[in-house]
Amino acid sequence: MGQAGFHEVATLVRRRAGIVLTEDKSYLLETRLGPVLAKFQLGSLGALGEKLRGLPGEPLERAVVEALTTHESSFFRDGRPFDHLRGLLPRIAAARSGEKLRVWSAACSTGQEAYSVAILATEVLGLAAAQRLDILATDISGEVVARAREGSFSQFEVQRGLPIRTLMQNFQQEGTRWRIKPALRNMVRFEERNLLTDCAALGRFDVIFCRNVLIYFDAPTKTRVLEMLARQLHPDGVLYLGAAETVIGLTERLMPVPGERGVYGLAARK
Ligand SMILES: C[S@@+](CC[C@H](N)C(=O)[O-])C[C@H]1O[C@@H](n2cnc3c(N)ncnc32)[C@H](O)[C@@H]1O
């Protein structure tokens, strides 16, 4: 028999976020949901399950989903997409000649991905041209979006992926923490947004990062999200997925860029 409350919790996170929680992950429930149980004065996971079967209300549902999403991130994570973007940015900036270049960090977690793009654009294009970038960073979790918006990182966080020179040039030390400089902070807009919702209002992007989130979804949800991203991509735009993610077998609207891992573009219309 599964852990008390597991079924109700798994049903909720799947419905709201698309995240599949398998029974082998049920050990996560106890540790991650402990603070939620305390906050909502629920004595056990069984009591939470019962509450979720009734009318739990928005705050409890949100808190459960927040607690069960994984927010792992780091600056310049996996390296390769950023190496590719370094070569791509000058080309698309030239092609757009003065128009805003639009980048979307979908599922941005605490903001390292979006700030990595801002830092890289400044290095490649110079600050004035980089400031013409419109970088939108979104996540389903209001908590991580608020932290990302703050732009303040611990020593541990900046040590993951930032060479000391890049850190010194782009961050200001505040006690034991490091804050991204205002010029870079102002290049990024943060919004709470669920990838399962219609994102048409966001308009088209030249570059979309959607990394390390599809791994939590089942195949139909991956297809749904990938096809939504395809609709938001400019015809010559580029989509970066995580190292363990692909479009193969999920959609024919996106194709791998030959010779590049994790880089996708729109397939030619048949
Ligand atoms: C592991 S982090 C990845 C962060 C970053 N993209 C990276 O690769 O470093 C996954 C993020 O996806 C977010 N997420 C999960 N389900 C989501 C959904 N349905 N819509 C938007 N964001 C979602 C989580 O809140 C979490 O911050």
Side-chain angles (χ1 to χ4, degrees), residues 139-213:
D139 199 283
I140 193 174
S141 159
E143 263 172 46
V144 291
V145 168
R147 280 175 52 199
R149 202 176 269 134
E150 272 291 298
S152 168
F153 297 91
S154 68
Q155 185 70 37
F156 174 73
E157 287 170 321
V158 295
Q159 268 165 358
R160 295 181 68 204
L162 285 178
I164 188 78
R165 230 179 101 103
T166 313
L167 173 64
M168 301 310 286
Q169 274 170 356
N170 298 290
F171 291 77
Q172 290 158 345
Q173 192 161 16
E174 290 181 349
T176 58
R177 299 185 67 81
W178 295 85
R179 187 179 291 280
I180 189 96
K181 285 191 175 165
L184 293 155
R185 167 64 196 82
N186 293 338
M187 287 166 61
V188 188
R189 290 183 293 128
F190 290 97
E191 262 178 35
E192 202 178 310
R193 178 168 284 275
N194 187 343
L195 289 170
L196 304 190
T197 60
D198 181 11
C199 294
L202 300 181
R204 295 270 188 103
F205 293 88
D206 300 287
V207 175
I208 300 178
F209 282 78
C210 184
R211 300 189 309 149
N212 306 304
V213 62

Side-chain angles (χ1 to χ4, degrees), residues 78 80-81 211-212 215 240-246 261-262 264:
D78 298 336
R80 288 177 74 103
R211 300 189 309 149
N212 306 304
I215 41 170
Y240 296 109
L241 298 182
E245 295 161 335
T246 182
R261 219 181 56 217
Y264 301 85

Side-chain angles (χ1 to χ4, degrees), residues 243-266:
E245 295 161 335
T246 182
V247 304
I248 310 289
L250 295 166
T251 176
E252 291 184 353
R253 297 209 52 201
L254 292 156
M255 293 293 285
V257 170
E260 302 289 345
R261 219 181 56 217
V263 190
Y264 301 85
L266 287 182

Side-chain angles (χ1 to χ4, degrees), residues 230-243:
R231 287 193 294 276
Q232 301 314 124
L233 203 58
H234 265 300
D236 58 350
V238 161
L239 167 69
Y240 296 109
L241 298 182

